[in-house]
């Protein structure tokens, strides 16, 4: 089941195991159970510290525990953790086996100090690049605190359970049987929800930070490039971000990153973060900026009440999925309305879904979903698709994809629990049409994350930060880069170049500002 090179890598990883671990499986005679047995047997054969048993009694089949021998420390997978979850499997094996986690001592202590009983269940799909972060965070918590339990569930293997719990987006997390969270999240964010005092303590710590020479807001390609170039100049650099990687984390296949024929968003983000952290950059992740105040020292206010200061600021807040803003969209968000086909597509296996948007992202989504769902209706506002020719050619060969052009989506309908249809208007005839379906994937581009900057810097009519060719904004000492700006092309390589320009512009500003300040100082007269 595992390729030879993967086995070799795993053998090397398993040398880090400090404690013996048991794989305790619950299987039946089905094909998926046979597949899981093969995987577990191969894992057990790679280290004398790993053994496997087939006497489990889990309520879901197939499933298995990874258990530290002789203890209650364990994590559980219901399904076969391959695809994006294979990394979660490897990390769980190592952590249950005593390998220290890569989190701060403060986080470890906070997890261990949680009181009460917590039983987490996370529904995932193996094609979801957002799911592993959640699975790994909750697995870590269950390893460090015996009062915490976690099971990661492959929703595709338990469709009746998914239907009964109305899971229509992944990752979906339940705590003690009740809905707890949806979407990508981190261990720090989970702790904030469980520990009411965490945010205040965090804010107090951040308020003690000394001012930065360059403070970068945003951890996407533009922010990462700005951080690297600023740090290489030897100036005090800070980077604050809601999530490192930004929108790139939601991108599966990347085939136009120069010199790299193919990569995936999470892999590129991991490489970017490793590169940034290799320099002396103060990375402050999982924080949302809410306001910018100009002055000799620029102040960035955060959602938790903390304030960070910088002599210069580089704004790189990126963008988010654009919404349709039609009736039903918010009501049925994560109940059939989705924005990530790679993440949520497997939950609609065999069903009828619509993709709204005929650009590259929309057509790519239709192509990917066509291999999973029963039927795709692709709806485009214009009278022709806007995607690259190669994508248009591909989508038109798919027999289970219908293309509707010159159509304006006017409503998403549902039964109160989940989506059951979409209404669009033919823009040529003004006639109304309804499509009965089970899900709607919205792929109509991006909107800049700049609502918190209104009145602080000059914004375009589209809400983009106005910049010149040096990355300068309307406020001296404040620069900007990436998808949130007026740069005409929203591409990863463009954002990286713009981030570099902004950082070098900030460095130049610091030098000139220092010179100007020195020239204004009174001359010293010799006695």
């Amino acid at each position: 089941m595992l390729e030879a090179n993967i086995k070799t890598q795993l053998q090397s990883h398993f040398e880090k195991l400090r404690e013996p671990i048991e794989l305790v499986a619950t299987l039946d005679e089905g094909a998926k159970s046979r597949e899981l047995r093969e995987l577990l047997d191969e894992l057990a054969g790679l280290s004398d510290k790993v053994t496997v048993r087939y006497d489990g009694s889990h309520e879901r089949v197939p499933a298995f525990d990874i258990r530290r021998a002789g203890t209650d420390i364990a994590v559980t997978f219901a399904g076969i953790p391959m695809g994006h979850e294979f990394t979660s499997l490897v990390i769980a094996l190592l952590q249950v086996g005593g390998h220290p986690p890569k989190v701060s001592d403060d986080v470890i202590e906070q997890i261990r100090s949680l009181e009460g009983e917590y039983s987490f269940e996370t529904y995932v799909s193996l094609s979801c690049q957002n799911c592993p972060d959640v699975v790994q965070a909750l697995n870590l918590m269950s390893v460090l605190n015996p009062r915490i339990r976690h099971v990661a569930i492959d929703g595709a293997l338990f469709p009746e359970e998914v239907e009964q719990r109305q899971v229509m987006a992944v990752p979906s997390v339940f705590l003690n049987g009740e809905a707890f969270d949806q979407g990508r999240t981190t261990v720090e964010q989970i702790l904030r929800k469980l520990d009411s005092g965490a945010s205040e303590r965090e804010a107090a710590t951040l308020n003690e930070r000394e001012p930065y020479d360059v403070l970068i807001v945003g951890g996407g390609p533009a922010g990462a490039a700005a951080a690297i170039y600023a740090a290489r100049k030897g100036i005090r650099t800070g980077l604050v971000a809601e999530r490192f990687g930004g929108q790139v984390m939601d991108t599966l296949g990347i085939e136009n990153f120069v010199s790299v024929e193919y990569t995936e968003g999470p892999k590129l983000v991991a490489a970017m973060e490793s590169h940034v952290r290799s320099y002396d950059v103060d990375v402050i992740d999982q924080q949302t900026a809410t306001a910018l105040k100009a002055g000799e020292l620029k102040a960035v206010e955060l959602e938790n009440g903390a304030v960070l200061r910088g002599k210069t600021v580089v704004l790189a807040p990126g963008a988010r999925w654009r919404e349709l803003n039609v009736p039903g969209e918010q009501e049925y968000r994560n109940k059939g309305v989705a924005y990530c086909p790679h993440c949520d597509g497997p939950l609609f296996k065999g069903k009828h879904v619509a993709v709204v948007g005929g650009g590259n992202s929309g057509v790519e989504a239709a192509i990917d979903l066509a291999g999973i769902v029963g039927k795709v209706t692709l709806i485009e506002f214009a009278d022709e698709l806007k995607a690259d020719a190669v994508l248009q050619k591909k989508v038109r060969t798919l027999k289970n994809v219908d293309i509707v052009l010159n159509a304006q989506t006017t409503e998403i309908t549902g039964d109160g629990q989940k989506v059951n249809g979409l209404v669009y208007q033919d823009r040529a005839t003004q006639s109304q049409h309804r499509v009965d379906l089970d899900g709607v994937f919205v792929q109509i581009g991006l909107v800049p994350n700049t609502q918190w900057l209104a009145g602080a810097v000059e914004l375009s009519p589209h809400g983009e930060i106005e910049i010149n060719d040096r990355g300068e904004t309307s406020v001296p000492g404040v620069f900007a880069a990436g998808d949130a700006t007026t740069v005409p092309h929203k591409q990863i390589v463009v954002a990286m170049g713009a981030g570099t320009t902004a950082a070098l512009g900030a460095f130049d500003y610091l030098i000139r500002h220092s010179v100007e300040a020195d020239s204004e100082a009174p001359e010293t007269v010799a006695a």
Side-chain angles (χ1 to χ4, degrees):
M1 183 174 186
L2 297 175
E3 297 179 357
N5 64 321
I6 298 296
K7 289 184 178 180
T8 300
Q9 293 176 35
L10 286 174
Q11 281 182 314
S12 176
H13 287 313
F14 286 174
E15 291 176 2
K16 302 173 185 176
L17 295 173
R18 299 180 179 180
E19 304 287 344
I21 57 178
E22 297 176 327
L23 308 177
V24 184
T26 305
L27 305 179
D28 57 18
E29 299 303 317
K32 288 299 180 181
S33 287
R34 292 195 297 272
E35 189 177 340
L36 179 56
R37 178 185 288 269
E38 181 182 356
L39 172 63
L40 298 181
D41 284 341
E42 289 185 354
L43 292 173
L46 297 176
S47 172
D48 57 7
K49 279 191 164 60
V50 182
T51 57
V52 61
R53 293 170 23 205
Y54 295 102
D55 57 354
S57 57
H58 200 276
E59 61 183 313
R60 300 177 181 90
V61 181
F64 68 101
D65 296 332
I66 304 174
R67 186 176 301 164
R68 186 176 299 174
T71 75
D72 292 331
I73 297 173
V75 300
T76 303
F77 289 93
I80 307 169
M82 299 299 287
H84 284 291
E85 290 303 337
F86 186 70
T87 300
S88 300
L89 168 63
V90 175
I91 292 174
L93 289 164
L94 293 175
Q95 290 178 347
V96 174
H99 186 64
K102 294 182 178 179
V103 294
S104 70
D105 292 341
D106 289 341
V107 169
I108 292 174
E109 180 57 31
Q110 192 176 358
I111 293 171
R112 287 176 172 164
S113 299
L114 287 174
E115 298 180 355
E117 298 293 327
Y118 303 91
S119 177
F120 286 100
E121 300 165 295
T122 304
Y123 291 88
V124 305
S125 68
L126 302 186
S127 59
C128 168
Q129 67 267 32
N130 294 325
C131 295
D133 283 356
V134 181
V135 171
Q136 291 163 27
L138 290 168
N139 281 349
L140 169 64
M141 293 174 66
S142 68
V143 169
L144 294 175
N145 188 327
R147 294 179 295 277
I148 300 174
R149 291 287 180 267
H150 178 233
V151 53
I153 306 161
D154 179 2
L157 293 189
F158 302 93
E160 293 182 2
E161 188 174 332
V162 165
E163 185 74 20
Q164 186 263 330
R165 280 189 156 177
Q166 294 294 308
V167 175
M168 304 191 74
V170 291
S172 285
V173 182
F174 287 75
L175 171 58
N176 298 335
E178 300 294 330
F180 175 74
D181 202 1
Q182 282 186 324
R184 182 193 299 275
T185 191
T186 66
V187 65
E188 291 86 358
Q189 291 172 312
I190 295 169
L191 287 170
R192 288 191 200 109
K193 296 186 72 170
L194 300 178
D195 182 357
S196 59
S199 182
E200 290 78 6
R201 294 194 300 272
E202 196 172 47
T205 300
L206 292 176
N207 280 330
E208 295 175 358
R209 296 286 209 280
E210 293 293 326
Y212 300 95
D213 292 319
V214 177
L215 175 59
I216 299 155
V217 182
I228 290 168
Y229 271 79
R232 285 176 61 86
K233 292 297 185 181
I235 56 180
R236 177 168 161 75
T237 304
L239 184 151
V240 60
E242 188 168 345
R243 61 165 176 164
F244 201 98
Q247 200 72 15
V248 178
M249 284 296 289
D250 299 328
T251 304
L252 187 58
I254 299 172
E255 299 177 314
N256 57 359
F257 191 75
V258 180
S259 81
V260 179
E261 290 186 10
Y262 178 85
T263 188
E264 296 177 353
K267 292 181 180 179
L268 179 58
V269 169
M272 288 194 309
E273 185 169 8
S274 176
H275 196 177
V276 168
R277 291 184 183 274
S278 70
Y279 292 98
D280 188 16
V281 177
D282 186 9
V283 177
I284 305 167
D285 208 357
Q286 310 305 320
Q287 299 294 336
T288 301
T290 57
L292 171 68
K293 304 295 185 183
E296 184 175 351
L297 280 179
K298 286 71 179 168
V300 175
E301 299 177 2
L302 305 182
E303 191 174 59
N304 65 3
V307 179
L308 299 173
R309 294 174 173 82
K311 298 176 184 176
T312 63
V313 168
V314 173
L315 300 171
R320 63 188 182 278
W321 293 116
R322 186 180 298 278
E323 298 176 348
L324 289 167
N325 293 317
V326 299
E329 181 178 19
Q330 294 304 318
E331 180 182 355
Y332 293 105
R333 190 183 184 99
N334 295 325
K335 297 178 182 179
V337 175
Y339 300 85
C340 179
H342 304 296
C343 302
D344 300 331
L347 299 176
F348 295 87
K349 184 177 181 180
K351 298 182 178 181
H352 182 188
V353 303
V355 174
V356 182
N360 282 348
S361 59
V363 174
E364 285 175 348
I367 292 170
D368 292 339
L369 289 167
I372 302 171
V373 305
K375 181 179 179 180
V376 179
T377 298
L378 177 60
I379 300 174
E380 164 56 30
F381 181 83
D383 57 6
E384 62 180 3
L385 297 178
K386 302 299 183 182
D388 292 343
V390 64
L391 295 175
Q392 292 193 42
K393 182 177 180 181
K394 173 64 177 178
V395 77
R396 293 184 189 281
T397 67
L398 301 176
K399 295 182 179 180
N400 63 337
V401 177
D402 288 343
I403 300 173
V404 181
L405 300 175
N406 214 23
Q408 180 177 359
T409 301
T410 57
E411 183 181 5
I412 295 172
T413 64
D415 60 7
Q417 298 294 322
K418 58 183 179 179
V419 165
N420 63 15
L422 176 147
V423 179
Y424 70 87
Q425 182 180 63
D426 185 313
R427 296 177 59 233
T429 65
Q430 304 302 306
S431 58
Q432 296 283 331
H433 301 268
R434 174 183 165 83
V435 183
D436 293 326
L437 40 77
D438 303 288
V440 178
F441 288 83
V442 181
Q443 300 283 287
I444 56 172
L446 303 172
V447 59
N449 294 318
T450 57
Q451 64 279 0
W452 61 284
L453 292 169
V457 295
E458 187 175 342
L459 302 178
S460 75
H462 299 292
E464 298 169 323
I465 305 168
E466 295 275 7
I467 59 172
N468 62 17
D469 57 1
R470 298 174 63 85
E472 296 170 324
T473 71
S474 58
V475 178
V478 177
F479 299 77
D483 287 359
T485 73
T486 50
V487 64
H489 304 294
K490 316 301 186 185
Q491 298 290 320
I492 293 172
V493 291
V494 173
M496 287 181 171
T500 301
T501 298
L504 295 177
F507 178 69
D508 184 65
Y509 175 89
L510 287 169
I511 294 174
R512 294 177 182 276
H513 186 73
S514 176
V515 169
E516 290 172 0
D518 291 343
S519 66
E520 293 173 0
E523 295 182 2
T524 301
V525 180

